[in-house]
Amino acid sequence: MLSEIIQQGENEAVEFKTADVHADSLAKELVAFSNSGGGSIIIGVDDDGEILGIDPEWDGETWVANIARNNVIPAIDCKIEYAAVTLESNQNKKVLQITVPKGKDKPYQTNKSQYLVRVGSTNRVTSIHELMRLFQQSGVFHFDSTTVQGARLSSVNKSLLDQYLAQYNVSLADEPDESILLRNMDIMDGDNLTMAGLLIFGINPQRYFSNACISYAHFVGEEISDELIDKQVIGGTLPEQIEKTLATLKHNIKQPSIIVGAKTQATTPTYSDKVLRELIVNAVTHRNYSIEGSRIRIMHYANRIEFISPGRLPNTITLEKLRYGVSYAVNPVILKFLENMRFIDKLGRGLPMVYSEAKALGKQAIFEEIGEEFKVTLTL
């Protein structure tokens, strides 16, 4: 297995180092993998994949453990193990394999104050936006509570806000200073709307953030190059996007049926509205809004529907945990409003329900993290 990994060469999850690797160089690799999706470092192999091996008497395990503890901030816990690789000449070479997990305490830095991420087969010093996203994944910083410059009180749709406040027997007309109420509700911060305030109660939020919307595309076949049946960009506030996108999906999903007596009966069971709604709500609630160049994308093919949301999973969340209802609030202010509007119950039942219904229908719900995006695929 290890020899096959070496044959594939260096990539976003594999790095080679020779036995004379410097401690600072190894620390950079540990930091980059921890800040990204994790990976393996194999010591005893050069950049070209030639297996040079390590000294059989070298205590590499202790050396690496000390670097992971002393040269990386915060310290990381990685798996370190020796392995023997058989060459074509039948000669055995000893190497050291370091398995670095996806970090739970991002962002990580070297003891030289360098923040790095893994990009392809190389490491790169983080940009300010990448570092901001790493802090967001850690829960130290929440982008939805930041202000949107230029989005003032006049950008609030007061009709929507009054509808929301009515459930608490509160009216804007009764408030002597509307801005004080909006600041206390996290809709405003100072003189500007917060990102959450704009996306939930704003007039035309896309005026300030053009990609805070959903792109929907329906293809005839199973490839993105196939002919389009329908294509839409769905904007407005997040509640409006949820309702419009659900209606669009329902309109485009075919449900064969027959007439039985005086009623129409479906011949092929399909996903319920609550499954489709849950995945739309999940996307708008948990996407990373600091990634300005990306939209939520729903790609509807003949054999599947893909729900793609910008942003990686938070530090403590894994794909496996999602199936069992473990969740984390990437955007706690947005989550609060959508929960109060009954779009979310915050009990962690959403994605497990999606998985269970897909299984009951003999289909699949596949959760994936691909680069800086999270994708859920429903097979049809």
Side-chain angles (χ1 to χ4, degrees), residues 4-290:
E4 294 177 359
I5 293 175
I6 294 173
Q7 288 175 7
Q8 292 173 4
E10 293 181 321
N11 54 49
E12 64 180 8
V14 176
E15 175 69 22
F16 300 148
K17 292 294 181 184
T18 55
D20 61 353
V21 58
H22 193 276
D24 288 343
S25 177
L26 183 61
K28 290 179 181 179
E29 302 296 343
L30 294 172
V31 165
F33 277 128
S34 296
N35 280 335
S36 304
S40 291
I41 304 167
I42 304 172
I43 298 180
V45 183
D46 68 13
D47 290 341
D48 295 326
E50 182 180 356
I51 302 170
L52 304 176
I54 60 175
D55 184 343
E57 303 300 320
W58 176 51
D59 186 7
E61 186 173 358
T62 300
W63 184 73
V64 171
N66 285 334
I67 293 172
R69 182 171 58 250
N70 301 321
N71 295 50
V72 177
I73 305 170
I76 65 170
D77 184 17
C78 51
K79 183 180 179 182
I80 309 166
E81 53 189 344
Y82 296 101
V85 181
T86 303
L87 307 182
E88 291 183 0
S89 61
N90 289 326
Q91 180 184 7
N92 284 334
K93 290 283 188 178
K94 187 177 182 180
V95 299
L96 185 67
Q97 183 175 12
I98 308 164
T99 304
V100 185
K102 171 187 173 183
K104 294 183 179 179
D105 299 305
K106 298 175 186 175
Y108 294 84
Q109 61 178 310
T110 69
N111 60 353
K112 308 292 185 183
S113 301
Q114 289 181 299
Y115 294 94
L116 302 108
V117 290
R118 187 76 175 176
V119 181
S121 60
T122 62
N123 301 329
R124 184 180 71 199
V125 175
T126 58
S127 67
I128 186 64
H129 292 292
E130 287 169 330
L131 188 58
M132 183 169 61
R133 290 198 290 270
L134 289 172
F135 276 111
Q136 187 168 352
Q137 288 174 38
S138 72
V140 174
F141 164 77
H142 297 292
F143 190 75
D144 66 337
S145 62
T146 60
T147 58
V148 181
Q149 293 302 312
R152 301 300 181 98
L153 180 61
S154 59
S155 298
V156 174
N157 186 325
K158 294 184 179 180
S159 175
L160 290 178
L161 185 56
D162 263 329
Q163 291 175 33
Y164 177 83
L165 292 172
Q167 64 184 315
Y168 305 107
N169 295 318
V170 176
S171 172
L172 280 177
D174 298 330
E175 296 297 321
D177 188 338
E178 296 174 346
S179 60
I180 293 177
L181 174 64
L182 299 189
R183 291 188 192 105
N184 289 334
M185 293 177 64
D186 298 319
I187 294 173
M188 293 187 71
D189 184 5
D191 294 328
N192 294 296
L193 297 186
T194 62
M195 177 62 74
L198 175 69
L199 293 175
I200 300 293
F201 300 108
I203 299 172
N204 187 17
Q206 288 70 42
R207 174 187 173 190
Y208 299 94
F209 189 18
S210 61
N211 285 314
C213 54
I214 299 173
S215 289
Y216 172 82
H218 186 187
F219 302 90
V220 170
E222 301 177 5
E223 303 294 334
I224 198 168
S225 57
D226 289 332
E227 183 181 348
L228 276 166
I229 297 174
D230 190 10
K231 180 181 178 183
Q232 297 186 39
V233 176
I234 301 168
T237 64
L238 297 190
E240 289 170 340
Q241 290 182 39
I242 293 167
E243 299 295 355
K244 291 176 184 176
T245 304
L246 178 60
T248 299
L249 266 172
K250 290 173 63 178
H251 176 74
N252 278 271
I253 292 177
K254 296 178 181 178
Q255 188 170 27
S257 61
I258 58 174
I259 302 297
V260 178
K263 298 182 179 179
T264 300
Q265 180 175 308
T267 57
T268 304
T270 189
Y271 295 101
S272 65
D273 289 0
K274 67 179 181 179
V275 163
L276 302 176
R277 185 185 182 91
E278 169 60 32
L279 292 178
I280 299 165
V281 170
N282 188 74
V284 302
T285 305
H286 299 298
R287 73 153 283 183
N288 189 333
Y289 287 97
S290 70

Side-chain angles (χ1 to χ4, degrees), residues 309-327:
S309 183
R312 302 179 68 88
L313 295 174
N315 291 354
T316 57
I317 304 300
T318 64
L319 294 171
E320 188 63 22
K321 286 181 178 180
L322 292 176
R323 287 176 47 188
Y324 297 99
V326 178
S327 61

